[in-house]
Amino acid sequence: MRSRPFLGAFVTPAALCAVALVAALLAILQYSVRMHVPGSLEPGDYTLANFVALLKPLYARVFFDTAWICLLTAFATLVAGYPVAYALVHTKRPFVKGLILIIVVTPLFLGEVVRTYSWIIVLGNTGFINSVLLMLGLIASPIQLLFTTIGVVLALVHVTLPVMVVMLAAALAHIDPAYERAAASLGASPLRAFLTVTLPLSTPGILAGVTTAFAWTFSAFATPQLIGGGRVNMVSNLVYQLGFASFNFPFAAALSVAGLVMTFALLGLIRLGTRRFENVTQH
Amino acid sequence: MGSIALHTLPGRLARLSVVAVIGFLILPPLVVTIAAFNEKALLSFPPERLSLRWFARALTYEDFRAGFWNGLIVTLWASSIALAIGAAFAFALDRYEFRLKRTIETILLSSLIVPHFTIGLGFLIIAAQIGMARGFTVVVTAHVILVLPFVLRSVYVSLRNFDRRLEQAAESLGAPPARVLLTVTVPLLLPGLVSGWLLAAILSFNEFTASLFVTGQRTQTLPVAMYNYVREYADPSMAAISVLYIAATAALLTFANLYLGLGKVLNVEQPR
Amino acid sequence: MSSSRASSSAVSLNAVSKSFGAIAALKATSLDIRPGELMTLLGPSGCGKTTLLNIVAGFLSADAGDVAIEGQRVNDVPTFQRQIGMMFQSYALFPHMTVEANVGYGLKMRGMPRADIHRRVQDALVLVKLQGLEARKPSQLSGGQQQRIALARALVIEPKVLLLDEPFSALDKSLRGSMQIELKDIQRKLGIATIFVTHDQSEALSLSDRLAVMSEGVIRQVGTPHEVYADPADRFVASFIGDVNVIPGVIESLDDGRATIRVGNGHVGASRTHLADAAPGTPVDVFVRPEQITLAAPREEIPLTGKVHASVFQGGHTDVLVDVGVEGMSTVLVRLAGPAHVARWAKGAPVGVVFAVDTVLAFPKSG
């Protein structure tokens, strides 16, 4: 082995960060099995009551809704994102490429609050969509878009679309265009070539994109909070409510733990499903 | 254009869907911009009269001002610390085998998947347990951990594309390791380092959910101040500050695209 | 820069070995490079030549054995203290520095005053005939210019040994020849011990004072280009250096230094160097270079007869491929000097293959 200059100095700070992150997660785990003492921020004795309480229909319902919204968003984002990613990678004109890139990527860096706020203006009863439809005479009275699952999903798709496009484009950019040309030379129409060659080869990107979209949606707080307005609730909203309205940190911690478990379980299922799909296509 | 010819039906549908999605993406910022110039205090479309009064109000609103400066402090500290830690670790990841290498990497990258409210709650509990006030230290620590994966990735990609023979050449010419690092490695990695830092800074400045948990009245960052404003008021001041936000971000990204090549940073360029 | 140790080696490797996991890249290898000589490490990819060079440079450390530079053991000396000059395959010029800064880099690392650096850089640029480009960046230079800068950068620090890692592989074929001559001139003028790694045998033959032919982590033969070409140590060296026909034959008789070998209907003599333990009747392979045979009209006592498969005009010479009906080989390559052979040996013409020398190489049949 040659010497490894700077090894200790370069790894130690990162290791400390990892320790801090693990400590934060362990703190949550610890709180999740402690009793809530009303009126006190200090938790009480060890108990499993928090997890038992999670099974109440009220909370189970929130978990179910959250999973549904996450899956819907991830799927819609994939369908909407793929053509854009394809165009981004394959356009020859640098100006168009730069434009698509800026338009796609800007929302990624805008932050949840600004994006959510702009959707309130788009979806509200006196907002953009209703005003336009009323003006055109297509509707007689405003349709309810805010405080609905559809509204929340629309805004969430807007939040996750950039990262999906970036991940798909990264995968597509690394597929040698010679494969599609080879398929064409063998008689495949452009569509067939795309469906039989490019699409299967981009599976890793699809997987990465769906996984990230799912995790981001699950993590979203301001969007369901403001657009859902209390009528569409996700796990994140419940955690915040319990923590900052009832100061029941142990139960908030238990919800977080359950949320983490659910995320990893669903991501594991998606991966498992894709692997099976890959096995099928390889025959 | 792309390999799917555009005059075919699938080609046309594909192009149409791209245009539709692009429209979907720019609609909200566009609507916000129009709303920001509306003179009336209530949101409505289309605006009857235009005015700049909401910009004036947004810029003088005390919570926004304080939030901006707090956010700047947090962002500068968090992104710079994350750059130093992330770049150093990316270097070690690329070059060396060491104990717990994969473990540390997996833990650090997991902050991409673990929800921000979970991380926020965790740091809130820790701060409470060790009796720490909700000061900047907690906020900056949480932000460093949240943006670290992006710095790590950006620098790691640059290191992968880095020709190690340049370092060997410097070494063969008599440069000891520290001088190789300072005269060859760091200057050549500069674009990756700058883009990593920029990415981290933008993300930190915009981070909301975790910040909501770990900031207090005194350390409240701009997104948190904006969130609180939306909950209390409905006037277009929020639209005005959003417009400023959107313009600043788009300008930064255009700069990044021109000078650093955003495509390369995001790894979406086709390799030649 | 003294020549008091002229008798000792510039670089000496003693039983050096290196493995990567289960793969033995270099097996207990010893080699001495004399002061001022250009030693080539030649072999196919994966033969261990680059591993050997990297061990001398200090980029890899040997698992066992000793490396010495000018008599000093350097196993534990890091690269930056070894006083070597190295030229890399793609030159590895620092893209963020000017030509001047690139060439002066090693001197700066040695703490030399700025004015002296400038003077020495100028001298080095004169040496490689590239003045006036000091302010350019490497990306603004042609491939040939980049190579000269890389050479200047390696030489300006007056290294104890110059290491060249396939330095010509990135150049056009037309430029390669003239750069090779120039490099050899400079190397001879400075009298600097040089290790040159290549997989190109013609490059090795034309440049080297001596060369080491390697395969599978072992040095097969060390010698002057002529020795290695004319008197290869084994079957590998014989077939790796230059074109060669391998023709089956049988030992007919043996006397003191020579063997007589029956090939087809004819005979040819061979030295006994590689046939020490052989007895009459032993099957052997005769190694014969394309220029060591010639063509004639087919007759009874001619070793091999057949039909012309193809005649290829190569400018200065003509390559004729002959189909011979011998088990274990299909065609024989014959190289005829002069341009007038294509018409005479047309495709399909019956032809006889005749040995043009009376001593060829023969090895016992392998396996």
Side-chain angles (χ1 to χ4, degrees):
Chain A
M1 262 275 139
R2 293 193 74 216
S3 65
R4 298 176 290 181
F6 321 117
L7 180 63
F10 279 14
V11 173
T12 311
L16 288 177
C17 285
V19 168
L21 180 53
V22 170
L25 296 178
L26 284 179
I28 291 179
L29 199 62
Q30 197 236 97
Y31 260 60
S32 73
V33 290
R34 302 283 288 272
M35 201 111 78
H36 172 52
V37 182
S40 162
L41 288 178
E42 280 297 307
D45 291 334
Y46 287 91
T47 173
L48 283 176
N50 296 320
F51 286 101
V52 176
L54 282 179
L55 299 173
K56 285 186 197 162
L58 172 68
Y59 300 121
R61 172 91 211 162
V62 172
F63 270 91
F64 179 80
D65 285 351
T66 304
W68 171 241
I69 290 175
C70 289
L71 286 175
L72 208 61
T73 306
F75 180 72
T77 311
L78 174 65
V79 172
Y82 206 105
V84 180
Y86 193 89
L88 177 63
V89 170
H90 287 275
T91 184
K92 292 271 184 292
R93 279 169 290 180
F95 174 74
V96 176
K97 203 185 199 89
L99 193 68
I100 296 181
L101 202 57
I102 296 288
I103 290 175
V104 165
V105 169
T106 304
L108 181 62
F109 296 101
L110 273 185
E112 218 188 329
V113 178
V114 170
R115 277 186 291 183
T116 302
Y117 174 73
S118 42
W119 276 98
I120 294 179
I121 310 183
V122 173
L123 299 174
N125 281 355
T126 56
F128 176 78
I129 293 181
N130 276 317
S131 305
V132 169
L133 291 179
L134 278 171
M135 232 165 34
L136 296 174
L138 290 173
I139 51 172
S141 59
I143 43 174
Q144 187 64 37
L145 291 168
L146 270 186
F147 316 135
T148 64
T149 306
I150 289 290
V152 172
V153 169
L154 268 180
L156 285 174
V157 168
H158 193 248
V159 171
T160 47
L161 199 52
V163 72
M164 175 70 83
V165 172
V166 166
M167 291 196 152
L168 289 175
L172 285 170
H174 291 91
I175 297 173
D176 192 337
Y179 290 135
E180 258 187 36
R181 282 183 222 135
S185 76
L186 295 168
S189 69
L191 185 63
R192 290 283 307 268
F194 170 77
L195 291 177
T196 54
V197 176
T198 310
L199 190 60
L201 284 174
S202 63
T203 323
I206 294 176
L207 198 63
V210 168
T211 307
T212 312
F214 187 92
W216 280 38
T217 312
F218 191 86
S219 180
F221 169 77
T223 309
Q225 185 78 18
L226 295 175
I227 297 193
R231 265 173 265 181
V232 182
N233 269 314
M234 289 177 68
V235 175
S236 58
N237 310 122
L238 216 50
V239 169
Y240 184 74
Q241 261 168 37
L242 285 163
F244 285 84
S246 339
F247 296 102
N248 187 347
F249 284 109
F251 193 48
L255 274 169
S256 294
V257 170
L260 266 185
V261 170
M262 188 183 93
T263 314
F264 281 112
L266 275 172
L267 292 182
L269 275 180
I270 293 176
R271 263 174 208 269
L272 209 69
T274 336
R275 194 165 309 151
R276 186 155 300 162
F277 166 75
E278 274 175 358
N279 286 344
V280 170
T281 53
Q282 268 163 18
H283 286 288
Chain B
M1 272 297 286
S3 317
I4 292 186
L6 284 170
H7 52 270
T8 60
L9 184 63
R12 276 189 194 152
L13 282 177
R15 174 173 256 193
L16 202 67
S17 63
V18 171
V19 172
V21 173
I22 296 284
F24 171 77
L25 280 172
I26 52 175
L27 176 70
L30 218 60
V31 168
V32 166
T33 310
I34 298 168
F37 293 95
N38 192 351
E39 201 220 355
K40 284 208 299 187
L42 274 175
L43 290 170
S44 64
F45 267 89
E48 281 155 29
R49 253 183 307 179
L50 299 179
S51 148
L52 285 175
R53 59 188 278 215
W54 304 113
F55 284 92
R57 172 160 160 76
L59 289 173
T60 52
Y61 184 62
E62 191 44 47
D63 277 12
F64 285 170
R65 292 173 70 101
F68 176 79
W69 291 113
N70 286 339
L72 210 58
I73 292 170
V74 171
T75 294
L76 288 179
W77 278 106
S79 57
S80 306
I81 294 174
L83 177 68
I85 297 177
F89 189 62
F91 185 88
L93 274 183
D94 181 47
R95 301 298 165 83
Y96 307 137
E97 290 303 322
F98 48 91
R99 263 190 329 144
L100 297 179
K101 176 177 175 173
R102 292 295 153 214
T103 313
I104 300 174
E105 187 194 2
T106 309
I107 293 172
L108 292 179
L109 290 181
S110 75
S111 72
L112 287 172
I113 302 271
V114 176
H116 283 202
F117 64 84
T118 305
I119 290 175
L121 182 66
F123 277 101
L124 180 65
I125 292 176
I126 288 188
Q129 274 187 327
I130 59 176
M132 200 176 178
R134 280 207 266 167
F136 281 118
T137 315
V138 190
V139 187
V140 169
T141 309
H143 275 221
V144 165
I145 285 177
L146 289 173
V147 300
L148 205 49
F150 295 90
V151 178
L152 211 55
R153 183 193 153 87
S154 172
V155 178
Y156 187 74
V157 167
S158 310
L159 276 166
R160 288 270 100 173
N161 296 325
F162 183 79
D163 186 358
R164 291 281 296 279
R165 272 177 298 205
L166 292 166
E167 286 173 352
Q168 294 187 336
E171 222 182 322
S172 78
L173 293 167
R179 297 207 61 182
V180 175
L181 196 69
L182 288 178
T183 57
V184 176
T185 318
V186 169
L188 289 173
L189 287 181
L190 213 52
L193 294 172
V194 171
S195 60
W197 181 83
L198 200 63
L199 222 65
I202 298 176
L203 287 168
S204 164
F205 194 73
N206 289 298
E207 206 293 325
F208 166 65
T209 313
S211 306
L212 185 65
F213 280 79
V214 292
T215 55
Q217 191 59 42
R218 202 170 51 80
T219 54
Q220 174 174 287
T221 58
L222 187 51
V224 177
M226 285 158 65
Y227 172 76
N228 288 332
Y229 191 90
V230 180
R231 305 246 299 172
E232 283 173 47
Y233 309 101
D235 69 55
S237 303
M238 181 58 198
I241 193 134
S242 297
V243 170
L244 298 177
Y245 229 99
I246 294 166
T249 307
L252 262 181
L253 287 173
T254 310
F255 164 82
N257 189 34
L258 285 180
Y259 291 96
L260 301 168
L262 207 51
K264 248 183 257 148
V265 174
L266 296 168
N267 197 23
V268 298
E269 294 279 309
Q270 236 164 355
R272 303 261 155 237
Chain C
M1 291 291 108
S2 71
S3 54
S4 58
R5 301 184 63 114
S7 57
S8 74
S9 304
V11 176
S12 111
L13 297 148
N14 188 12
V16 173
S17 65
K18 178 76 185 173
S19 299
F20 298 106
I23 299 157
L26 204 59
K27 296 172 194 157
T29 299
S30 298
L31 183 67
D32 281 303
I33 290 99
R34 298 168 190 152
E37 86 171 328
L38 194 155
M39 165 70 81
T40 299
L41 306 180
L42 172 69
S45 61
C47 71
K49 57 189 193 295
T50 306
T51 305
L52 195 57
L53 191 77
N54 281 333
I55 288 174
V56 174
F59 298 137
L60 292 173
S61 58
D63 295 340
D66 283 331
V67 183
I69 296 178
E70 293 191 347
Q72 214 169 21
R73 187 174 177 274
V74 293
N75 286 37
D76 302 316
V77 178
T79 300
F80 70 91
Q81 289 168 346
R82 283 196 185 186
Q83 306 287 338
I84 54 166
M86 181 153 177
M87 228 170 120
F88 294 80
Q89 194 167 5
S90 49
Y91 316 134
L93 294 175
F94 306 126
H96 58 308
M97 296 182 196
T98 61
V99 165
E100 167 124 32
N102 260 287
V103 178
Y105 187 89
L107 299 172
K108 199 170 145 195
M109 290 303 132
R110 285 158 173 75
M112 186 177 278
R114 197 181 285 238
D116 293 353
I117 294 180
H118 181 74
R119 196 172 35 78
R120 291 269 291 271
V121 167
Q122 288 304 319
D123 292 347
L125 291 176
V126 170
L127 184 70
V128 298
K129 299 175 191 156
L130 254 192
Q131 297 133 282
L133 300 176
E134 291 82 350
R136 297 250 186 113
K137 290 280 179 70
S139 58
Q140 297 168 302
L141 302 176
S142 71
Q145 289 172 328
Q146 287 182 24
Q147 199 194 32
R148 288 157 194 261
I149 297 302
L151 181 61
R153 185 177 73 173
L155 289 173
V156 75
I157 56 176
E158 296 181 352
K160 292 175 176 171
V161 55
L162 179 63
L163 308 177
L164 308 171
D165 183 10
E166 309 230 2
F168 301 110
S169 61
L171 285 184
D172 289 340
K173 207 173 174 185
S174 57
L175 210 59
R176 220 177 280 174
S178 62
M179 282 307 299
Q180 284 169 4
I181 293 169
E182 209 164 314
L183 178 84
K184 181 72 193 169
D185 280 349
I186 291 173
Q187 187 264 338
R188 197 171 290 153
K189 192 155 89 185
L190 298 178
I192 182 171
T194 302
I195 304 179
F196 173 57
V197 161
T198 185
H199 63 267
D200 181 331
Q201 39 119 343
S202 73
E203 211 167 86
L205 291 175
S206 62
L207 281 180
S208 318
D209 293 317
R210 289 194 302 156
L211 60 144
V213 186
M214 299 182 68
S215 89
E216 293 170 1
V218 173
I219 293 182
R220 299 296 183 127
Q221 185 174 10
V222 180
T224 64
H226 184 261
E227 280 165 4
V228 171
Y229 186 79
D231 192 13
D234 59 19
R235 300 175 66 103
F236 173 81
V237 177
S239 43
F240 189 73
I241 311 275
D243 292 323
V244 73
N245 293 297
V246 183
I247 304 171
V250 175
I251 298 180
E252 201 165 74
S253 65
L254 294 161
D255 52 53
D256 279 354
R258 282 175 65 83
T260 303
I261 294 166
R262 181 170 189 85
V263 176
N265 295 326
H267 297 90
V268 67
S271 94
R272 285 192 63 182
T273 322
H274 306 291
L275 299 171
D277 309 325
T282 310
V284 295
D285 280 330
V286 170
F287 278 61
V288 56
R289 307 257 180 222
E291 64 272 16
Q292 291 178 324
I293 42 185
T294 187
L295 298 176
R299 291 192 309 273
E300 271 295 297
E301 70 282 16
I302 267 182
L304 297 169
T305 53
K307 285 189 163 65
V308 173
H309 178 80
S311 279
V312 185
F313 178 58
Q314 301 276 24
H317 63 265
T318 302
D319 282 342
V320 183
L321 275 169
V322 180
D323 280 327
V324 290
V326 178
E327 196 183 338
M329 67 175 309
S330 51
T331 58
V332 172
L333 174 65
V334 185
R335 188 158 292 156
L336 304 169
H341 303 281
V342 177
R344 181 164 167 217
W345 304 111
K347 186 175 169 65
V351 68
V353 177
V354 185
F355 292 99
V357 290
D358 39 83
T359 307
V360 296
L361 275 170
F363 294 93
K365 235 182 174 35
S366 56

